[in-house]
Amino acid sequence: MPNARATHLTRRGILAAGGALGLGAVLAACGDDDGKSGGSDDATTAAKSGPWTFKDDRGTTVKLDKVPTKIVAFVGVAAALFDYGIEVKGVFGPTKTQDGKADVQAGDMDISKLTVFGNVWDQFNVEQYAAFAPEVLISTTFDSAGTLWYVPEASKDKIAKLAPSAVISVYDRQITQPLERMWELAESLGADLKADKAAQSKKDFEAAAERLRKAAKSRPEIKVMAGSASQDIFYVSGTNLSIDLEYFKALGVNFVEPPESAKKEGGGWFESLSWENVDKYPADIIMMDDRTSTIQPKDITEATWKKLPAVKAGQVIARSPEPILSYAKCTPLLTSLAEAIEKAKKVA
């Protein structure tokens, strides 16, 4: 983690992944980030009838007699694999909203066809999972220890005994790395990544990245703040640790950067502000967390929010702190920010 390596992150800090609402359970995040390396040698493409091997970002190699078809994955991982033609049958994590519609993290999947083992934090039906007879469980991790995202601490050991697990790290790296790893994972599971659709999605991502780079270079005066709203607190994300913000910063985007001392409570991810102090950092564009666990901009009633120059100018865009890791889903994130910077008025 550049410039800040927390030894313990609160549930709020981990769930934030750069500035979101949280609930307080503690996850440990310590030691060196051994999972940073990885590449084409880490994933072995297997014939559908042959053995399956995948080396994940913990350095753990998962080996099965055949390519798994009964896959259970964190919903965002399942959504990314779906974009590459791999259908995951069981999921956990935010899949359905309270009104029964697909959560933003479910991507293009038909959630009516999914077996959902847990839809909210700390919820995972182990008995249902056992009956499902999973061949492998796949999730992301937000720490250097490789903690399985959205797998409850209380039941993780029982879950681990039922099927091997594989992890893609989304901790303290640029988004291009987990995108490459998800690509390799999909390929190992039988995805045809030489098909026109997949190849074009990668080219579109690269073109969008170049557009954002040019926009940032031409408008260095535009200040961008990444925020997230809860009832009592407004979270301002730092760029370190979060895969999207680290990449955007590398492309030249000028971000509001809370000092490390201010991010201490958030485990290095973010600074917590009261709504009275939401104007602490001047910003021309505000990127707001789009996850359903957070309050969306249209629903924020705080007068201090409505007075912010960026809000008054209509320069508020969505941000996905837990992006679906397919090139097709990440390209719009780059395009949206590039367009916002290109069109932004200097208001801060």
Side-chain angles (χ1 to χ4, degrees):
M1 180 192 315
N3 303 322
R5 212 171 262 287
T7 55
H8 293 285
L9 300 182
T10 63
R11 152 68 174 148
R12 181 173 63 194
I14 282 289
L15 181 59
L21 175 65
L23 302 174
V26 176
L27 293 174
C30 56
D32 293 331
D33 193 352
D34 294 329
K36 282 203 171 189
S37 62
S40 57
D41 291 339
D42 290 339
T44 301
T45 303
K48 290 193 175 183
S49 60
W52 182 72
T53 301
F54 184 79
K55 185 177 180 181
D56 75 0
D57 288 343
R58 297 169 300 186
T60 299
T61 299
V62 184
K63 297 181 179 180
L64 298 175
D65 292 337
K66 63 183 180 67
V67 177
T69 56
K70 297 199 75 175
I71 302 169
V72 173
F74 173 68
V75 62
V77 171
L81 291 174
F82 182 85
D83 285 353
Y84 293 129
I86 304 298
E87 293 195 28
V88 173
K89 299 175 181 178
V91 300
F92 56 95
T95 306
K96 300 178 182 179
T97 60
Q98 290 184 349
D99 59 5
K101 295 181 180 179
D103 189 277
V104 65
Q105 295 193 64
D108 295 331
M109 292 188 297
D110 182 349
I111 62 172
S112 68
K113 297 180 179 180
L114 299 172
T115 299
V116 183
F117 301 104
N119 195 63
V120 298
W121 180 258
D122 228 23
Q123 179 188 88
F124 197 113
N125 190 321
V126 180
E127 290 73 21
Q128 184 186 23
Y129 179 67
F132 185 83
E135 293 174 299
V136 67
L137 181 148
I138 307 172
S139 190
T140 52
T141 185
F142 281 89
D143 62 40
S144 60
T147 304
L148 290 161
W149 186 230
Y150 261 84
V151 172
E153 181 70 21
S155 55
K156 68 176 184 179
D157 292 338
K158 292 181 180 178
I159 293 169
K161 292 177 181 178
L162 296 170
S165 64
V167 165
I168 299 295
S169 179
V170 290
Y171 173 68
D172 192 17
R173 61 200 58 208
Q174 294 178 24
I175 197 170
T176 47
Q177 291 175 272
L179 275 171
E180 289 168 0
R181 296 294 283 135
M182 191 65 71
W183 176 278
E184 292 165 0
L185 174 62
E187 186 175 40
S188 77
L189 292 169
D192 180 8
L193 300 183
K194 294 181 180 179
D196 291 345
K197 183 179 178 181
Q200 188 60 49
S201 71
K202 201 168 188 179
K203 291 179 181 178
D204 290 344
F205 177 87
E206 293 166 352
E210 185 58 29
R211 178 180 175 181
L212 179 55
R213 188 193 306 275
K214 290 180 178 178
K217 185 176 181 179
S218 66
R219 301 295 306 279
E221 77 281 8
I222 298 299
K223 199 79 171 178
V224 180
M225 178 167 68
S228 184
S230 69
Q231 184 174 350
D232 300 316
I233 298 174
F234 182 81
Y235 303 97
V236 179
S237 300
T239 55
N240 293 337
L241 307 182
S242 298
I243 58 173
D244 60 332
L245 302 185
E246 284 203 13
Y247 185 54
F248 299 158
K249 180 175 64 175
L251 292 175
V253 177
N254 182 12
F255 278 102
V256 166
E257 192 71 65
E260 294 304 324
S261 58
K263 293 187 293 182
K264 187 175 181 180
E265 181 185 351
W269 293 92
F270 60 85
E271 177 180 1
S272 303
L273 299 176
S274 66
W275 283 104
E276 290 76 15
N277 295 317
V278 73
D279 61 352
K280 179 177 179 180
Y281 298 107
D284 301 294
I285 296 171
I286 303 176
M287 303 176 68
M288 289 295 289
D289 190 336
D290 68 354
R291 290 173 294 181
T292 52
S293 58
T294 69
I295 299 175
Q296 297 305 299
K298 65 181 178 58
D299 299 319
I300 299 175
T301 59
E302 300 291 340
T304 48
W305 163 261
K306 294 181 178 180
K307 292 179 181 178
L308 292 177
V311 175
K312 292 171 70 175
Q315 296 178 172
V316 178
I317 63 173
R319 176 199 169 207
S320 299
E322 290 184 67
I324 294 172
L325 294 169
S326 70
Y327 288 103
K329 289 295 185 296
C330 289
T331 295
L333 308 181
L334 295 164
T335 302
S336 174
L337 181 54
E339 183 177 0
I341 293 173
E342 290 164 357
K343 297 181 177 180
K345 296 178 182 177
K346 181 64 183 174
V347 295

